[in-house]
Amino acid sequence: METIVTTSRQQTLLVADAIEHVVSAMPTPCIGVSTGSTPLPIYAELVRRHLDEGLSFANAHLFMLDEYLGLPEGHPQAYRTFLDEHLVGHLDIRAERLHGPNVHARDIPAECAAYERTIESLGGIDLQVLGIGADGHIGFNEPGSSLGSSTRIKTLAELTIADNARFFTDAESVPRHVVTQGIATIRRARHVILIATGAAKAAAIAAACEGPVTTTCPASALQFHPHTTVIVDEEAGANLRFSSYYKATFDNKPTWQRI
Ligand code: GLP
């Protein structure tokens, strides 16, 4: 795990550069895309590079990390709508290349299994962009999630419902159930970039990077991943004990540029 503490602007540019590198270098790039407010500046930067610099996503496949269950198709808070609105709808990529389990199907577990097969059949995820919840969740793998899990149905933790209530009229309207890539699914991505900004993520980032590997902090499972880069701003990195080392690493150029 390589950890970089920098400004939020640098974070945006570093992650956009990593995505651009994969999209330009691979014949069939497979990118895992997360939702939440943290990746929004990165998606805006990718859209800008597409419009101003001709960065093409025509050969790419995008993979959803998670999705709510029980929202009608096209609901403004559905993650597919979010990704269409902020990313896919502005790029030269066909809508069917945004892959995710069909959460409107009757047999959701079968959809989850089919999603895993789709990821595998397209060669696996080259680069997964990940946010983190204040409780250390990745995707919607809440504390207590199996570190060996694949895509499946999960129930949201109360803290996540409270955190995500800001996107709905009230906490009552937040769906209780979701589908999420599992922790093993995420760990199969060849490169994972975990991003966080703001003081509310400081405890989760410290637990993920420097705490024990435990289901209590699902993001800590990334410590066993062979190629994870954590990029945080000063506030989100405030509880890291070894942050001066991480700054030095950044000055020496992050090793993810080797990909
Ligand atoms: C939700 C998503 C996660 C995301 C998290 C953080 O719970 N399922 O994938 O990482 O929110 O969101 P934000 O970036 O808004 O803090």
Side-chain angles (χ1 to χ4, degrees), residues 34-39 65-66 68 79 130-134 137-140 142 156 160 164 166-167 195 197 201:
S34 72
T35 55
S37 44
T38 313
L65 185 61
D66 47 16
Y68 290 114
Y79 283 170
L130 266 191
I132 187 169
H137 73 243
I138 47 176
F140 270 135
E142 297 284 19
L156 291 185
T160 304
N164 290 0
R166 66 189 194 276
F167 300 114
I195 51 170
T197 53
K201 301 291 173 68

Side-chain angles (χ1 to χ4, degrees), residues 3 241-250:
T3 307
R241 289 173 55 215
F242 306 118
S243 61
S244 57
Y245 300 170
Y246 305 145
K247 281 179 194 154
T249 309
F250 176 61

Side-chain angles (χ1 to χ4, degrees), residues 125-161:
I125 293 175
D126 297 302
L127 173 57
Q128 174 68 55
V129 179
L130 266 191
I132 187 169
D135 60 3
H137 73 243
I138 47 176
F140 270 135
N141 295 282
E142 297 284 19
S145 293
S146 161
L147 303 188
S149 50
S150 294
T151 303
R152 68 212 184 291
I153 299 172
K154 288 292 288 177
T155 304
L156 291 185
E158 284 305 319
L159 178 61
T160 304
I161 292 168

Side-chain angles (χ1 to χ4, degrees), residues 90-242:
H90 305 279
L91 302 176
D92 57 339
I93 184 168
R94 296 202 307 274
E96 62 269 25
R97 285 197 172 208
L98 174 60
H99 302 275
N102 176 6
V103 291
H104 307 289
R106 282 177 67 95
D107 189 347
I108 301 292
E111 285 296 321
C112 293
Y115 187 50
E116 291 282 342
R117 288 195 298 274
T118 303
I119 296 173
E120 205 177 314
S121 69
L122 289 165
I125 293 175
D126 297 302
L127 173 57
Q128 174 68 55
V129 179
L130 266 191
I132 187 169
D135 60 3
H137 73 243
I138 47 176
F140 270 135
N141 295 282
E142 297 284 19
S145 293
S146 161
L147 303 188
S149 50
S150 294
T151 303
R152 68 212 184 291
I153 299 172
K154 288 292 288 177
T155 304
L156 291 185
E158 284 305 319
L159 178 61
T160 304
I161 292 168
D163 281 350
N164 290 0
R166 66 189 194 276
F167 300 114
F168 292 82
T169 42
D170 50 39
E172 278 310 299
S173 316
V174 181
R176 269 34 185 179
H177 295 101
V178 294
V179 162
T180 181
Q181 282 190 27
I183 296 175
T185 318
I186 293 167
R187 286 175 55 192
R188 280 192 285 274
R190 282 183 276 284
H191 184 195
V192 174
I193 299 185
L194 178 69
I195 51 170
T197 53
K201 301 291 173 68
I205 286 295
C209 299
E210 296 178 345
V213 174
T214 165
T215 58
T216 307
C217 177
S220 66
L222 295 169
Q223 291 178 31
F224 282 133
H225 187 270
H227 191 185
T228 284
T229 311
V230 180
I231 310 181
V232 296
D233 70 358
E234 296 274 353
E235 288 184 327
N239 290 11
L240 291 167
R241 289 173 55 215
F242 306 118

